[in-house]
Amino acid sequence: MMRTTRIAGLAASAALVGLPLAAGPASADSGELTAHLTQLNDSGASGTAWAEVDGNQVHIKLETSGMTAKAPHAQHVHIGGQSMCPDPDMEGTGPDGALKTTDAADQYGMVAVSLTMEPGKTGPKAAVDVPNFPTGDSYTYERTIEVSDQVAQDIKDGNGVIVTHGVDLDGSGTYDGKAMSDLDPKLPLEATVPAACGELDQAQMSMPEGGVETGGSSTGGIEYPAALTLGAVAVGLGGAGFLAGRRKSTR
Ligand SMILES: [Cu+2]
């Protein structure tokens, strides 16, 4: 009883000052996970991801570096297979042993969540929704996504694997070449080959810069204003080109 009262009091103060409550070390079922992404296809890419599961909402943050510059990067939570990344040196069925996305499906499974930006959809069908994926060699992505009970549980259980895609394999400066993608035959293979992979494991460290806000607002405070999120992403992309692209597409 006393304990309950004290926790309620703490929650109230945290809500008052707008602090996230999930600041302490994560326990096994806290719904907080992290992933360290390492390269596939000799891409030189790396990254860190954080996920926080709250009911059917998954708040995901992803920071990347060393990705192919000036090119869009499909990115997903994969679920299935052995819930793991392939060996970084694994050779695939693409030209010169390039690892195609499906080559490692036994390891990381299929696309369960597409990590698009607003207003992109987030299901498996949006796996190659190129215009709504982040662009550039280093970027920060953040979005709260609604998922099914099963996907939420799988991610919480540590079965999710983050995979980012797109590698300029031949160094031409763009996605091209004769080989076509195993995910979409209209795209060059280079646009969808895996660039980096990381297994979402129960967290040792909390999400930086205030994760999911848990108190205070009448809506639950999980949704980020779309304009703010897009603005942040646009800055990360080097704004102008991204915004110009958007303006064109709304004409
Ligand atoms: Cu993927």
Side-chain angles (χ1 to χ4, degrees), residues 28 31-37 47-53 58-62 76-79 82-85 107-108 112-113 115 147 151-163 197-205 207:
E32 290 180 59
L33 304 104
T34 56
H36 291 283
L37 281 71
T48 307
W50 297 263
E52 198 165 344
V53 182
V58 184
H59 181 73
I60 291 200
K61 182 167 181 175
L62 173 61
H76 318 109
V77 180
H78 288 241
I79 292 175
Q82 303 164 60
S83 306
M84 58 185 281
C85 292
Q107 283 80 14
Y108 49 52
V113 183
L115 302 176
V147 299
V151 168
Q153 192 61 51
D154 271 326
I155 294 175
K156 215 170 171 178
D157 288 346
N159 295 332
V161 178
I162 304 270
V163 184
C197 181
E199 299 156 13
L200 278 170
D201 294 320
Q202 278 146 5
Q204 303 301 311
M205 54 183 182
M207 190 179 296

Side-chain angles (χ1 to χ4, degrees), residues 74-78 101 108 111 163-165 183:
Q75 49 183 19
H76 318 109
V77 180
H78 288 241
T101 298
Y108 49 52
V111 173
V163 184
T164 65
H165 301 259
L183 300 185

Side-chain angles (χ1 to χ4, degrees), residues 168-182:
D168 176 21
L169 295 167
D170 62 9
S172 68
T174 186
Y175 297 151
D176 56 9
K178 283 186 184 142
M180 302 313 280
S181 166
D182 48 337

Side-chain angles (χ1 to χ4, degrees), residues 38-46 65-75 88 90 94-101 108 134 136-137 139 163-183 187-197:
T38 53
Q39 69 170 5
L40 293 172
N41 280 309
D42 290 320
S43 66
S46 61
S65 60
M67 305 283 288
T68 293
K70 297 175 189 162
H73 295 290
Q75 49 183 19
M90 179 180 175
D96 300 321
L99 183 73
K100 297 182 180 182
T101 298
Y108 49 52
D137 55 349
Y139 58 85
V163 184
T164 65
H165 301 259
V167 183
D168 176 21
L169 295 167
D170 62 9
S172 68
T174 186
Y175 297 151
D176 56 9
K178 283 186 184 142
M180 302 313 280
S181 166
D182 48 337
L183 300 185
L187 296 172
L189 176 65
E190 289 186 343
T192 66
V193 291
C197 181

